[in-house]
């Protein structure tokens, strides 16, 4: 194994005096000072620096370290985020036309994989918790019932932990699927930090999933876009995955990003346990400081004991889900106040909650500041509360509603106020979390249209496939009758 890290090797090379007659165009001699710290370490696949697509040297070594640390059969560094791991992973495990079981609260990249690979999605609806309004864990019994009803399912994909930190019982779910010969791919984009200490739950790699995708950049000290895909189970084909990665991932992977992954792996190898232990203690102290809040709810960090009955198999305590309904605020209002008065930027806000993401890099001072802000907000006066948004009903199959070549049907734009009762031809989502509130083919009920209108009015930004919801939504029309489907 290489003793010197990729980052050190890049720094040494930058000072070696070598004259670069190759990419990148900045030649480590950029006239723009802002580029200076990055350009110094930014090279291409020159001698000694290996090649991500077909690694045999320092990158292979780094990926082997990662596999050993996570306990996978093989791990791949990703520089296009979890998105490219999800696209490649799904394609490596399916053929066009296959049925795929997917949790309805999957990230939009899973929907895009369905579109690109012409798959037929069978949705699994997670339960929604009445108190928080968020999706609960995926139940193994629900997976079993669905694969019995759809015996042609070839792959199952689910998210654990979710954006909000909800964990599913991956060991039981993979056992159910494997008994039926179906591989499991877990979108663990939000869980790269799991399994390094007894203070946090274990991750999907050691729980029996076949392919696991993680965004290192979301929860570990690593640069934005860095991620990993782990091949774990026998049902996954590592060579097929490598081939798909060469399609979905850039052919010019950034050495800055790969050095960041390599350094993150080395840090966890050497100090992972003690770093997570100290972080766990800081979270305990934050928990103590927040105890006694009554109008602000803190979910995730603290377990109340009724989580299982409410449909949550497990929680990742690094996520602070801040419920603000009782304090008379919507999530976006909470986010705005945290930003304006206390200069604290939350990860996201929706409906009646905001999400504070913590990591092992958060200091004690940062947690103190968060606690002080939450105590101050507890005393603010009330405003009206947003209604929870219901789940849409299915109208047309996704691919049919998305495609432009639907026989006898057209796509027509319509203002949101007139959208009730129409079949959507677009995705609508908030980013974050990027989980579609409606997908092409689902019906926009009057309650959904009204819920979106209110959300927009109260500062929630809604996005849609074609240029944003405020420009009007595309819906599917039956041309012959002039009616919406
Ligand atoms: C659940 C989930 N999966 C996948 C992704 C995509 O991850 P990345 O941004 O690393 O491509 C996200 C991004 O927010 C996500 O929330």
């Amino acid at each position: 194994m290489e003793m010197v890290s990729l980052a050190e090797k890049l720094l040494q090379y930058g000072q070696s005096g070598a004259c670069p007659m190759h990419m990148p165009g900045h030649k480590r001699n950029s006239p723009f000072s802002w580029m200076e710290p990055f350009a110094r370490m930014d090279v291409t696949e020159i001698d000694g620096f290996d090649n991500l697509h077909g690694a045999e040297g320092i990158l292979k070594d780094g990926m082997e370290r990662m596999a050993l640390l996570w306990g996978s059969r093989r791990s791949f560094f990703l520089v296009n985020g979890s998105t490219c791991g999800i696209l490649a992973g799904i394609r490596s495990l399916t053929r066009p036309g296959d049925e795929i079981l997917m949790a309805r609260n999957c990230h939009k990249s899973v929907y895009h994989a369905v579109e690109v690979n012409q798959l037929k999605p069978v949705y699994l609806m997670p339960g929604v918790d009445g108190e928080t309004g968020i999706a609960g864990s995926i139940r193994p019994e629900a997976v079993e019932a669905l694969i019995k009803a759809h015996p042609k399912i070839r792959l199952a994909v689910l998210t654990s932990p979710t954006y909000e930190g909800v964990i599913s019982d991956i060991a039981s779910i993979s056992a159910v699927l494997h008994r039926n010969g179906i591989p499991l791919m877990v979108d663990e984009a939000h869980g790269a930090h799991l399994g390094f200490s007894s203070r946090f739950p274990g991750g999907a790699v050691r729980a029996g999933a076949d392919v696991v995708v993680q965004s290192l950049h979301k929860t570990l000290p690593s640069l934005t876009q860095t991620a990993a895909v782990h091949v774990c189970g026998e049902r996954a084909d590592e060579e097929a995955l490598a081939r798909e990665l060469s399609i979905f991932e850039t052919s010019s992977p950034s050495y800055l990003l790969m050095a960041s992954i390599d350094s993150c792996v080395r840090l966890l190898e050497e100090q992972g346990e003690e770093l997570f232990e100290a972080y766990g203690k800081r979270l305990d102290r934050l928990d103590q400081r927040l105890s006694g809040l009554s109008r602000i709810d803190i979910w995730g960090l603290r377990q109340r004991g009724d989580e299982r009955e409410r449909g949550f198999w497990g929680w990742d305590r690094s996520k602070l889900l801040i419920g603000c309904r009782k304090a008379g605020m919507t999530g976006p209002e909470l986010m705005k106040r945290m930003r304006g008065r206390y200069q604290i930027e939350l990860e996201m806000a929706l409906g009646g909650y905001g999400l504070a993401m913590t990591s092992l890099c958060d200091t004690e001072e940062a947690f103190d500041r968060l606690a002080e802000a939450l105590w101050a907000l507890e005393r603010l006066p009330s405003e009206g509360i947003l209604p929870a948004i219901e789940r849409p009903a299915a109208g047309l199959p996704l691919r049919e509603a998305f495609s432009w070549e639907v026989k006898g049907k057209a796509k027509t734009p319509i203002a949101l106020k007139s959208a009730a009762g129409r079949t959507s031809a677009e995705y609508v989502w908030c980013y974050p979390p990027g989980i579609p509130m409606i997908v092409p083919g689902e019906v926009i009920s009057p309650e959904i249209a009204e819920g979106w209108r209110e959300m927009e009015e109260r500062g929630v930004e809604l996005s849609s496939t074609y240029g944003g919801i405020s420009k009007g939504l595309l819906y599917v029309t039956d041309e012959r009758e002039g009616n919406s489907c």
Side-chain angles (χ1 to χ4, degrees), residues 232-248:
C232 328
E234 288 161 16
R235 286 163 187 81
D237 179 342
E238 56 195 84
E239 290 313 323
L241 179 62
R243 190 189 118 71
E244 298 306 334
L245 285 173
S246 73
I247 295 172
F248 288 105

Side-chain angles (χ1 to χ4, degrees), residues 80-83 86 107 109 159 163 187 189-190 215 217-218 227 431 433:
N80 290 77
S82 283
T83 298
I86 287 169
H107 184 253
S109 53
T159 308
Y163 212 121
D187 174 355
H190 293 279
S215 296
H217 70 92
K218 291 191 196 298
Y431 211 100

